[in-house]
Amino acid sequence: MLILQRKKEQALNIGDNISITVLEIGNDWVKLAIDAPRDVSILRSELVEAVSANQEAVSLPLDAGSLSKIKDFFSQKQKDSGNT
């Protein structure tokens, strides 16, 4: 993992065609601008996790245990998003 420090209005480049610029910095957040080709998929990590959970849920037989796991996963995600 590469860790970089950037200030407001500073950017970093990934390869020849992706640029990430810091637009704003708050107490516990940062606003980024990402310039990338349309064929590059950009997703927030919580959406990737939700898609994975949905795919897993579809493949599971629907029993009380499976439904409970799904409910627990989304309850935890809701709690996590409420803390930020």
Side-chain angles (χ1 to χ4, degrees), residues 14 41 60 66 77 84:
I14 301 173
S41 177
L60 293 174
S66 298
K77 289 298 170 189
T84 57

Side-chain angles (χ1 to χ4, degrees), residues 11-31:
L12 60 97
N13 295 319
I14 301 173
D16 294 331
N17 56 2
I18 299 174
S19 176
I20 302 173
T21 305
V22 177
L23 295 181
E24 294 181 48
I25 302 170
N27 289 335
D28 60 350
W29 56 269
V30 62
K31 185 185 283 188

Side-chain angles (χ1 to χ4, degrees), residues 63-70:
D63 60 22
S66 298
L67 293 175
S68 177
K69 286 180 185 178
I70 295 167

Side-chain angles (χ1 to χ4, degrees), residues 28 45-47 49-50 71-84:
D28 60 350
S45 60
E46 63 270 19
L47 293 179
E49 292 171 8
K71 180 181 173 188
D72 292 345
F73 174 83
F74 285 106
S75 293
Q76 184 60 45
K77 289 298 170 189
Q78 187 174 22
K79 289 177 187 175
D80 291 347
S81 66
N83 291 333
T84 57

